[in-house]
Amino acid sequence: MLKQILHNLKIDALNEMQQAALDAAEKQDLILLSPTGSGKTLGFLLPLMRSLRTDIASVQAMVIVPSRELALQIEQVFRAMGSGFKVNCCYGGHSVRIETNNLSQPPAVLIGTPGRLAHHLRRKTFDTRTVRTLVLDEFDKALEFGFQDDMAYIINQLPFLEKRVLTSATPMEEIPAFTGIDKPATLDYLTHQPSAPNLKQKVVITRAADKLDTLLALIGKIGNTPTLVFCNHREAVERISDLLWDRELTHGVFHGGMEQDDRERALLKFRNGSHCLLVTTDLASRGLDIPEIEHIIHYQLPHTEEAFLHRNGRTARMHASGTSYLLLAPEEKPAYLTELPEEEAIPENPALMPPTPWATLYIAAGKKEKINKVDIVGLLLKKGGLDKDDLGRIEVLDHSAYAAVKRDRIEHVVRQVRNEKIKGKKVNIKISR
């Protein structure tokens, strides 16, 4: 079973932390401390999978996470494992009606944010008596976000737990009593792997008045490679975004003030290559399903070393490499750096970043309309006239789907499929803006 799961995930072997988590005692509580990007999701999903039973038709395991994006990421990983067990996701901003309908035929694994899971428990939309495994993922972040009361309520509604797993990317001085964790095994890999082992750090010196122009020059020098630009506040994200649009530079933005649909679409386009530049707050520093990032730009320096490490942890993950750039004023040096990194030279006449080769097609139907990836591929290749190489990543959501199409072919394919049907129904298909 494990061999097949790894094959499905396109993974050759588990890393040391994942293997240790799998080898831990089946019934003993577990605390898993490991850096961002080290593969903690598989570290708890594989042992959880081993405990699932095919003869129980209700929720057997619950995973509590601090963010919607992390919930969706874990759901995708679980589905990719190809276990045959049902999984569902619950989070704020998602339709309660759809979630309640999903829970009427309960999944084996339920993933969700504290507030939404507590909401379903209060409404008694699923039976808790069969829940044997609880995972508190990114627990340190959940505490930071103030979810303690909701988590305590949820745990109090799970009377028959046999195993509790807590994961954290930072050391935990004390485990709160409400978790119910008792005599746990602790796997501490925080000291085994310094943040981003293949990470190069560079500094770009710029005056405050020139900072935006310096950022544009650096982006031009980096070119079309996956890049995150970190700011401390959403206002700075929006200001930089306005400038990028003025220069006709394709990009995405991501921060907590955005509507959930807009946040999901920004990440989706980043994943499928429609834009390779994402301007964001620290909301994107942890627990997001985004591709391997090659470059991190600290437009504004975080206030703490921990936040700095989490940002850098988005790149140079596992065995990859990456570069982190710090935009600093002359004589500026963060207290958490013992010495400044090597200085990066910025060209006087930088080239503008060209558009990415991909754009995104929006399809107004999804899982709930029984649409799948095969349907979309068939439509776009047969009716849309695309070659296989013209079609990239496809993601199907509840009531919509998105497909990456070569930018120079997307207007053509929209014209070709304008009056076509999917599974006998006419569906609105257009370029996603």
Side-chain angles (χ1 to χ4, degrees), residues 33-315:
L33 305 174
S34 194
T36 296
S38 58
K40 286 195 295 298
T41 299
L42 270 190
F44 65 76
L45 281 184
L46 287 172
L48 181 156
M49 181 86 74
R50 193 169 54 187
S51 71
L52 298 179
R53 290 170 45 182
T54 56
D55 61 331
I56 297 178
S58 50
V59 180
Q60 301 179 53
M62 188 182 293
V63 182
I64 304 178
V65 297
S67 71
R68 306 155 180 173
E69 290 77 18
L70 183 53
L72 291 165
Q73 175 186 342
I74 296 169
E75 181 189 34
Q76 287 181 341
V77 173
F78 189 89
R79 290 186 191 279
M81 291 167 79
S83 68
F85 286 102
K86 184 180 179 183
V87 61
N88 279 134
C89 221
C90 298
Y91 52 88
H94 192 223
S95 166
V96 173
R97 182 181 56 80
I98 288 174
E99 291 177 358
T100 303
N101 185 54
N102 288 337
L103 290 169
S104 67
Q105 295 180 301
V109 178
L110 181 60
I111 306 162
T113 51
R116 182 53 63 89
L117 287 173
H119 172 81
H120 283 294
L121 287 171
R122 291 186 181 100
R123 294 180 61 172
K124 295 181 168 47
T125 49
F126 66 96
D127 189 349
T128 63
R129 290 174 296 178
T130 52
V131 180
R132 296 289 184 266
T133 304
L134 172 69
V135 178
L136 300 167
D137 192 26
E138 299 275 13
F139 184 70
D140 53 332
K141 200 71 177 173
L143 290 180
E144 182 184 323
F145 286 171
F147 292 138
Q148 178 166 332
D149 290 345
D150 281 332
M151 289 191 291
Y153 172 77
I154 293 167
I155 295 168
N156 197 44
Q157 304 304 306
L158 307 176
F160 300 110
L161 286 175
E162 294 177 352
K163 178 157 185 163
R164 303 165 198 244
V165 179
L166 184 153
T167 83
S168 175
T170 57
M172 301 289 293
E173 291 182 8
E174 184 180 354
I175 304 300
F178 73 80
T179 63
I181 289 177
D182 182 43
K183 298 178 183 175
T186 299
L187 299 177
D188 186 353
Y189 284 83
L190 294 175
T191 55
H192 294 206
Q193 178 184 330
S195 92
N198 298 315
L199 176 71
K200 293 180 184 174
Q201 294 199 35
K202 302 285 188 73
V203 64
V204 178
I205 304 299
T206 178
R207 297 182 308 156
D210 301 328
K211 200 170 185 179
L212 282 169
D213 288 333
T214 301
L215 174 65
L216 284 174
L218 179 57
I219 289 170
K221 183 174 183 178
I222 288 172
N224 268 334
T225 54
T227 301
L228 292 179
V229 178
F230 277 107
C231 304
N232 292 340
H233 309 289
R234 62 186 66 167
E235 293 79 13
V237 171
E238 296 293 348
R239 188 170 69 250
I240 291 170
S241 178
D242 289 343
L243 175 70
L244 294 175
W245 285 125
D246 286 345
R247 305 296 176 93
E248 298 184 346
L249 291 180
T250 304
H251 66 284
V253 298
F254 186 82
H255 59 69
M258 298 167 61
E259 293 293 329
Q260 179 64 19
D261 285 349
D262 294 333
R263 281 161 57 174
E264 288 183 14
R265 191 160 50 248
L267 294 180
L268 186 148
K269 290 185 178 182
F270 194 63
R271 285 194 294 267
N272 72 22
S274 291
H275 53 69
C276 61
L277 183 66
L278 189 68
V279 188
T280 179
T281 59
D282 283 339
L283 187 63
S285 66
R286 296 171 65 177
L288 290 188
D289 178 23
I290 49 182
E292 185 57 58
I293 307 301
E294 293 188 35
H295 302 283
I296 299 293
I297 299 175
H298 300 274
Y299 181 78
Q300 293 173 320
L301 282 178
H303 301 301
T304 67
E305 182 177 17
E306 180 183 331
F308 181 66
L309 293 175
H310 283 308
R311 286 183 181 184
N312 287 340
R314 295 307 322 182
T315 188

Side-chain angles (χ1 to χ4, degrees), residues 300-420:
Q300 293 173 320
L301 282 178
H303 301 301
T304 67
E305 182 177 17
E306 180 183 331
F308 181 66
L309 293 175
H310 283 308
R311 286 183 181 184
N312 287 340
R314 295 307 322 182
T315 188
R317 304 176 77 182
M318 306 297 277
H319 304 295
S321 58
T323 306
S324 167
Y325 298 92
L326 290 76
L327 270 60
L328 298 180
E331 311 303 325
E332 182 182 9
K333 185 174 84 67
Y336 45 79
L337 289 183
T338 53
E339 59 182 41
L340 287 182
E342 171 190 353
E343 186 171 347
E344 178 79 1
I346 299 297
E348 290 186 13
N349 299 302
L352 285 179
M353 184 177 68
T356 63
W358 297 98
T360 298
L361 196 66
Y362 166 77
I363 300 152
K367 296 174 189 173
K368 299 303 178 183
E369 290 76 33
K370 310 300 183 186
I371 303 298
N372 58 40
K373 290 183 182 180
V374 175
D375 300 322
I376 294 167
V377 170
L379 174 73
L380 298 181
L381 297 190
K382 292 175 185 176
K383 302 292 187 180
L386 294 181
D387 295 327
K388 285 185 178 179
D389 291 343
D390 295 330
L391 187 58
R393 180 172 179 142
I394 297 171
E395 295 192 38
V396 183
L397 309 181
D398 281 339
H399 292 291
S400 60
Y402 296 85
V405 175
K406 284 291 178 66
R407 193 174 292 274
D408 59 0
R409 298 282 287 156
I410 196 164
E411 291 188 2
H412 167 79
V413 78
V414 168
R415 289 194 297 270
Q416 292 295 105
V417 300
R418 180 165 289 138
N419 296 311
E420 297 295 338

